């Protein structure tokens, strides 16, 4: 998750006065985001343990990224997750020891390495993500599918805005 602290979004600070952030819609947004992020952190820890009992919750996002995007350089993973090279190296070493990722030469640059999910990593991450989607489907069963699509669209827009 990218949180760069600059407010992100569509120039929010450019059209709000200092007191504008106390408008009811921003108070409600801050409250609901706090709840969502707290639950997301707790869920990430649970999902990490479902993948492997010894997996750090912070490494779960790496596995998801590799599952979605395929092989990645460690430097690209570090930039995406927002950690330093030393932290990334430590996490990747731990994931290798658990048999969830492997390093292979980058075909585009023989000096570099790509990190990929092992078949075991693919199976475990896929199983956990499928179970998570099933939980979402159960919890949102009363929602109209268009509302679920709209929520996904708005969250995508929010995430995209936070990357700026």
């Amino acid at each position: 998750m990218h949180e760069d602290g600059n407010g992100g979004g569509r120039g929010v600070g450019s059209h709000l006065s200092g007191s504008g952030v106390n408008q009811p819609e921003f108070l409600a947004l801050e409250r609901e985001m706090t709840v969502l992020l707290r639950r997301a952190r707790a869920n990430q820890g649970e999902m990490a343990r479902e993948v492997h009992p010894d997996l750090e919750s912070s490494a779960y996002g790496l596995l998801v990224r590799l599952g979605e995007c395929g092989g990645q350089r460690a430097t690209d993973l570090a930039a995406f997750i927002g950690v330093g090279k030393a932290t990334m190296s430590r996490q990747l070493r731990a994931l290798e020891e658990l048999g969830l990722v492997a390093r292979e030469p980058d075909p585009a640059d023989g000096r570099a390495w790509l990190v990929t999910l092992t078949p075991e990593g693919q199976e475990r991450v896929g199983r956990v993500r499928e179970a998570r989607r099933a939980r979402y489907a159960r919890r949102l069963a009363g929602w109209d599918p268009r509302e679920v699509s709209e929520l996904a669209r708005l969250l995508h827009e929010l995430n995209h805005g936070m990357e700026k």
Side-chain angles (χ1 to χ4, degrees), residues 96-158:
E96 281 182 295
E97 290 171 5
L98 294 174
L100 301 173
V101 301
R103 296 178 202 236
E104 57 188 46
D106 184 344
D109 181 355
R111 300 166 298 167
W113 294 86
L114 293 178
V115 180
T116 61
L117 287 176
T118 62
E120 175 77 8
Q122 289 174 352
E123 189 277 323
R124 287 176 179 246
V125 171
R127 186 179 67 237
V128 170
R129 293 189 75 197
E130 187 174 325
R132 180 173 56 172
R133 285 190 303 274
R135 282 193 298 269
Y136 290 155
R138 283 191 306 275
R139 290 178 180 161
L140 301 178
W143 287 38
D144 184 295
R146 291 174 300 215
E147 292 174 318
V148 177
S149 293
E150 179 66 1
L151 177 60
R153 185 190 70 75
L154 290 170
L155 288 171
H156 175 78
E157 194 171 318
L158 176 66

Side-chain angles (χ1 to χ4, degrees), residues 53-66:
D54 297 329
L55 182 64
E56 291 182 27
S57 66
S58 60
Y60 177 77
L62 291 173
L63 297 175
V64 170
R65 177 72 175 179
L66 290 170

Side-chain angles (χ1 to χ4, degrees), residues 59-78:
Y60 177 77
L62 291 173
L63 297 175
V64 170
R65 177 72 175 179
L66 290 170
E68 290 177 344
C69 299
Q72 302 273 297
R73 290 184 178 185
T75 53
D76 293 335
L77 285 168

Side-chain angles (χ1 to χ4, degrees), residues 35-57:
V35 171
L36 179 67
L37 292 172
R38 184 179 64 239
R39 288 183 177 153
R41 278 189 296 273
N43 286 338
Q44 184 169 329
E46 291 172 17
M47 290 180 291
R49 285 184 296 280
E50 289 176 26
V51 170
H52 193 285
D54 297 329
L55 182 64
E56 291 182 27
S57 66

